[in-house]
Amino acid sequence: MKVNAKRLLAMLAALALTVAPLAGCSSNDDGGSTSSAGGTSSAASSTASTNGGEEAPTGTPAPGGLTWPLVPEKTEFSILAHSTPCEGPGAWMDPNEIPFYKEYEEKTNVHINWETITYDAWTERMNILIAGGDMPDAFMKGKITDSDLIKNGTNEVFVNLKDLIPQYAPNFNALLQKHDGAKFITLADGIWGMPYVLESDSIRISKIFLNEEWLKAVNKEMPTTTDEFLDVLRAFRDQDANGDGDASNETPLGSTSLAGVLSSFYGAFGMQNRGSSNAYIDADPSDPSKVRFYRACDDMKPLLKYAKTLYDEKLIDQNIFSPDGSNLFWDNISTNKVGAHMYWATVVGPELVDMYQPIPEALEGPGGKVWTSVGSLFSSKGAFVITSNCKQPEVLLSWVDYFYSEEGAANYLLGTEGVSYIKEADGTLTQTELISNNPDGLSQEQALLRYSLSSGGQNPSMATDNTFKGGETYPTSLKGTENMRPYLPEEVWFAFPWTAEQSAVIAQVKPDIDTVITEFEAKFITGELDIDADWQSYQDTLKTAGVEKYIATYQEALEGLKG
């Protein structure tokens, strides 16, 4: 889904007529307004002083109808952000050294005091700050779940942005209007965070990629059915497909986990008919107004038997259940030892990337010819969360809203125009050789770290095929997306508008359900349990884990989604 620029600009122009100037913030007892830096705050004024006392530009238009600067005097905010997992020198050492953020501070009069931590340390650090009341003004790019948003939102730890967005976030509000998005990000009757809006279908739709060189070597065509896929994998296994003289070192089908394997076959076996955003739940084929727990339905048994065939015949890595299985997958695929893999993008590195091509159509199986591995348009609903410690939430909301405009998204995700990316005459954005072919030998992701905070995902921004330049928008990935488009479900459930009570039930029972599914599926596929003989035991154990509560809660939430 590419952004229709003319339509978006027209919407924003119309919206700009109704957006009020950025108003002042919380009042003091004496009737004045206070910024988080202790200065005064007012509407985006016609004349504003810079930090040095000189007059800033008067009423410079900003995307969406806001005006630069956002505040008349330099105003400081604190943000805790998740740092990138990518190794190498770059932006996260000091985000304020990124050229874009220097320029953005000059435009807005907003200065950010950053604290950055790793993803693994995120949850503990966030919880300590919340418990102690010593929170930053905002959390950004962090591991904040729906249940975190509901719990901390309803406890007034996070700011409810629902009523602030129409006035202070016109760019994001336009996206909500365009996609009827409020129902997908509203939780417990509040909007507690700003999401990552994935307008690029290619980021949301996974694909199956096959090594074309291997196909030629074993004289096979691209498969179109699940049986043909097995036939191709058997040829990869037996015929020294990579041509290194060793017919025993090929992994026909690679993946980091069993879940990654199963995800590409649900549609072919008649499951996950509302997309992949909601774990274990789809629509009951006999009554679409009802939810179904598909991971224990009758259609799941043939898929598990198919996966068992893959495992028994050594068509998937025998280490897939090992703690080191993921690392072994990456090692093998980067050395031309994997014939096929499933992902949103080709993940083999630049040397082999063009060898892997997407399947031309969804695989047909006993459940039909449907491709269901399509995720939510609104991802990471807590990508940017404003806390109750922020004295000027409307200013910070407008600061982040720029990233949801076409211009702001390009700068957020790609860095600085003319330096890390250029805009072609037709509007196409292209990374410069400073990023794509870095003279210091840095990878594309490492080079971009010096100009953008986008690495690692969970960005409070808008990713399109034009503004996002990653593996998901590489030509083979875009081709795979177009190949799958005709086979997508007619309806996709992006998310459910949970109430606090519903969220609490899911949070209570889902961990036990996860454990049951993981353990039983592994034992079914390895043969430790018999899929037919032990199926009822699987059903009974799920009931003990609370699956009936899980189903009933999703049913209640579905009725709320449908209104």
Side-chain angles (χ1 to χ4, degrees), residues 2 5 422-430 466:
K2 289 191 176 183
I422 58 174
K423 189 173 185 178
E424 308 288 357
D426 64 356
T428 300
L429 305 179
T430 305
N466 199 26

Side-chain angles (χ1 to χ4, degrees), residues 253-336:
L253 175 61
S255 180
T256 59
S257 66
L258 175 63
V261 173
L262 296 178
S263 67
S264 294
F265 297 107
Y266 285 126
F269 284 82
M271 292 172 288
Q272 207 180 73
N273 54 46
R274 291 297 183 268
S276 57
S277 292
N278 299 283
Y280 313 147
I281 291 293
D282 67 359
D284 188 334
S286 64
D287 182 359
S289 68
K290 304 294 185 183
V291 301
R292 174 181 66 165
F293 190 85
Y294 65 81
R295 288 293 275 270
C297 71
D298 289 341
D299 291 329
M300 191 66 196
K301 292 171 69 175
L303 175 54
L304 289 172
K305 292 177 181 179
Y306 185 85
K308 188 175 189 305
T309 297
L310 293 172
Y311 186 81
D312 288 347
E313 296 189 17
K314 295 182 171 56
L315 302 178
I316 56 175
D317 197 321
Q318 300 298 285
N319 294 305
I320 197 166
F321 298 111
S322 165
D324 295 329
S326 179
N327 291 333
L328 291 170
F329 165 73
W330 294 114
D331 290 343
N332 286 334
I333 201 166
S334 63
T335 54
N336 197 25

Side-chain angles (χ1 to χ4, degrees), residues 11-77:
M11 293 171 67
L12 295 179
L15 184 63
L17 298 176
T18 65
V19 173
L22 183 59
C25 299
S26 57
S27 297
N28 290 329
D29 292 338
D30 61 3
S33 297
T34 305
S35 75
S36 58
T40 60
S41 171
S42 64
S45 56
S46 59
T47 302
S49 297
T50 65
N51 198 36
E54 298 177 357
E55 288 191 348
T58 301
T60 305
L66 296 174
T67 304
W68 307 137
L70 295 177
V71 282
E73 295 180 352
K74 178 181 174 181
T75 305
E76 297 187 5
F77 295 91

Side-chain angles (χ1 to χ4, degrees), residues 146 149 161 165 172 175-176 181-182 184-186 191-198 376-385 397 400 403-404 458-463:
D146 286 3
L149 291 173
L161 306 177
I165 285 170
F172 179 67
L175 290 171
L176 290 183
F184 297 116
I185 65 170
T186 299
I191 297 177
W192 312 105
M194 302 286 275
Y196 195 7
V197 183
L198 304 179
S376 177
L377 177 66
F378 297 94
S379 174
S380 305
K381 291 192 281 291
F384 191 85
V385 171
L397 180 59
V400 77
F403 305 148
Y404 293 94
Q458 299 172 114
N459 295 300
S461 187
M462 172 185 65

Side-chain angles (χ1 to χ4, degrees), residues 478-495:
L478 294 174
K479 178 182 176 183
T481 299
E482 292 308 310
N483 291 351
M484 293 301 103
R485 197 181 298 281
Y487 306 101
L488 298 179
E490 292 183 6
E491 181 182 359
V492 175
W493 291 339
F494 289 151

Side-chain angles (χ1 to χ4, degrees), residues 26-296:
S26 57
S27 297
N28 290 329
D29 292 338
D30 61 3
S33 297
T34 305
S35 75
S36 58
T40 60
S41 171
S42 64
S45 56
S46 59
T47 302
S49 297
T50 65
N51 198 36
E54 298 177 357
E55 288 191 348
T58 301
T60 305
L66 296 174
T67 304
W68 307 137
L70 295 177
V71 282
E73 295 180 352
K74 178 181 174 181
T75 305
E76 297 187 5
F77 295 91
S78 57
I79 293 178
L80 175 69
H82 151 229
S83 63
T84 175
C86 180
E87 296 180 357
W92 286 110
M93 297 174 67
D94 186 355
N96 285 325
E97 290 303 309
I98 298 176
F100 163 66
Y101 283 94
K102 288 183 177 179
E103 296 168 3
Y104 196 42
E105 180 174 332
E106 292 175 1
K107 283 182 179 180
T108 61
N109 263 348
V110 172
H111 174 81
I112 303 300
N113 296 311
W114 299 90
E115 178 188 352
T116 62
I117 59 174
T118 64
Y119 195 65
D120 290 341
W122 177 272
T123 300
E124 181 180 4
R125 178 64 174 155
M126 181 184 72
N127 289 337
I128 288 174
L129 292 173
I130 290 174
D134 187 26
M135 296 178 293
D137 293 307
F139 294 113
M140 179 170 161
K141 287 173 62 73
K143 187 160 47 174
I144 302 180
T145 65
D146 286 3
S147 58
D148 287 333
L149 291 173
I150 291 173
K151 178 181 67 175
N152 291 302
T154 55
N155 288 335
E156 299 184 349
V157 174
F158 296 161
V159 174
N160 189 350
L161 306 177
K162 187 174 183 179
D163 294 332
L164 297 176
I165 285 170
Q167 182 172 353
Y168 300 110
N171 295 294
F172 179 67
N173 193 56
L175 290 171
L176 290 183
Q177 299 291 326
K178 177 181 177 182
H179 299 294
D180 192 22
K183 65 183 179 182
F184 297 116
I185 65 170
T186 299
L187 299 168
D189 201 33
I191 297 177
W192 312 105
M194 302 286 275
Y196 195 7
V197 183
L198 304 179
E199 287 212 318
S200 168
D201 283 357
S202 201
I203 301 176
R204 302 189 297 113
I205 298 172
S206 70
K207 307 93 180 168
I208 297 177
F209 294 92
L210 275 82
N211 189 317
E212 276 199 323
E213 296 298 320
W214 286 28
L215 283 172
K216 293 176 184 176
V218 300
N219 196 28
K220 293 291 183 181
E221 301 291 332
M222 281 282 187
T224 60
T225 70
T226 54
D227 287 341
E228 289 176 3
F229 189 65
L230 283 177
D231 186 51
V232 167
L233 296 181
R234 288 167 178 144
F236 285 170
R237 179 195 61 195
D238 298 334
Q239 299 183 35
D240 188 23
N242 65 2
D244 67 351
D246 184 353
S248 66
N249 67 357
E250 286 87 356
T251 299
L253 175 61
S255 180
T256 59
S257 66
L258 175 63
V261 173
L262 296 178
S263 67
S264 294
F265 297 107
Y266 285 126
F269 284 82
M271 292 172 288
Q272 207 180 73
N273 54 46
R274 291 297 183 268
S276 57
S277 292
N278 299 283
Y280 313 147
I281 291 293
D282 67 359
D284 188 334
S286 64
D287 182 359
S289 68
K290 304 294 185 183
V291 301
R292 174 181 66 165
F293 190 85
Y294 65 81
R295 288 293 275 270

Side-chain angles (χ1 to χ4, degrees), residues 486-514:
Y487 306 101
L488 298 179
E490 292 183 6
E491 181 182 359
V492 175
W493 291 339
F494 289 151
F496 285 76
W498 300 109
T499 65
E501 293 77 11
Q502 292 165 349
S503 176
V505 172
I506 297 299
Q508 176 190 10
V509 302
K510 187 174 181 296
D512 289 340
I513 292 172
D514 292 341

